[in-house]
Amino acid sequence: MQLRLASFVYNQRIISPHLSDAGHLHATSLIENQRMRLLSGLNELLFPPRCLGCGSLNEGLCHQCLLDWKISYLQTRVSAISVFSSILYTKTASNILLAAKENGIRNADDLLVEAMHHSLVCAIATCDIPPILIPIPSAPSAIRRRGRNFLLDIADRAGALEDLPIHNLLRHNRKVQDQSLLDARARFENLSGALNVVSHAGRGRDVILVDDLVTTGATLSEANRVLKIAGFAVVGAITACVALPLR
């Protein structure tokens, strides 16, 4: 760290007022590179990389969390539609989901996109024509708190890998409780009648619903119901994670 700092200071001193504009720009660029390396070194010292699954000091996922975060072919059924998932929901999966959803950690996003893409490949293999993807909506308060529409971002990246369009046309029409705090029956009651279709763009094409996690199927069931009423043909759903057995 001292050597990097000394090098940075030294480079600051070698810029001569007699340099040409091009030479001055080049020297300034060298200093900026040194500064960025210094800041990167400080960041690594103060915030060493940790496993997203358990928090242990580790580059990427640790060995045990890699075993937990294992992409597999997992298929369930909700409201007569097939739901394709890739990751069994565990404590590791929960931590990675939270790291992406609530903290916006890019590496966690990347893991979810990879899992979601695997689920998508499995789902589109059952479709006769290319489908459109419709993500489950997040509550406006959650979008404001996170500073982004988390699921829309993940769905968009996964869909782009298969050149499939995203139609963000579901919205909440009333305030709902946090589903994670409710039991199975209360989850269905909480979401009953809570979603609206705000556009008919893409109607007539096969639809695949997108969510990050399926536990009871309450959210997917309600989305499927309102879309069918609006004339959409929901042929399946995908999630990154699934909690088995569905409750």
Side-chain angles (χ1 to χ4, degrees), residues 216-231:
T216 63
T219 307
L220 293 175
S221 293
E222 180 60 17
N224 179 40
R225 186 187 70 81
V226 297
L227 285 168
K228 284 189 173 181
I229 291 174

Side-chain angles (χ1 to χ4, degrees), residues 16-160:
S16 168
H18 304 296
L19 285 176
S20 65
D21 288 344
H24 191 277
L25 286 174
H26 177 66
T28 302
S29 176
L30 289 175
I31 290 175
E32 181 62 19
N33 288 338
Q34 290 282 359
R35 188 180 72 85
M36 294 304 297
R37 283 197 293 268
L38 173 63
L39 291 176
S40 177
L42 284 171
N43 187 62
E44 290 178 9
L45 181 64
L46 297 174
F47 306 104
R50 292 184 178 273
C51 172
L52 293 170
C54 66
S56 63
L57 291 174
N58 201 82
E59 289 278 358
L61 294 180
C62 69
H63 176 69
Q64 183 57 52
C65 289
L66 276 174
L67 295 177
D68 288 342
W69 188 266
K70 180 182 178 182
I71 290 183
S72 306
Y73 177 89
L74 301 166
Q75 184 177 354
T76 52
R77 291 188 72 79
V78 170
S79 294
I81 61 172
S82 293
V83 182
F84 297 89
S85 308
S86 295
I87 301 291
L88 189 63
Y89 190 61
T90 61
K91 179 63 176 175
T92 296
S94 174
N95 288 338
I96 291 171
L97 273 174
L98 287 173
K101 183 183 292 189
E102 301 300 339
N103 298 320
I105 296 177
R106 180 71 179 189
N107 289 346
D109 275 10
D110 293 344
L111 289 171
L112 288 174
V113 170
E114 180 186 21
M116 194 77 80
H117 178 238
H118 179 267
S119 301
L120 178 58
V121 169
C122 295
I124 60 179
T126 67
C127 298
D128 295 326
I129 58 176
I132 63 173
L133 305 181
I134 298 182
I136 296 299
S138 298
S141 59
I143 295 174
R144 289 193 298 270
R145 184 179 72 250
R146 296 166 185 160
R148 64 166 179 160
N149 191 327
F150 155 73
L151 187 59
L152 180 60
D153 288 351
I154 298 299
D156 189 52
R157 288 180 59 190

Side-chain angles (χ1 to χ4, degrees), residues 187-204:
R187 290 185 182 205
F188 280 90
E189 293 174 350
N190 183 44
L191 284 175
S192 179
L195 300 180
N196 275 349
V197 177
V198 297
S199 169
H200 290 95
R203 186 164 62 177

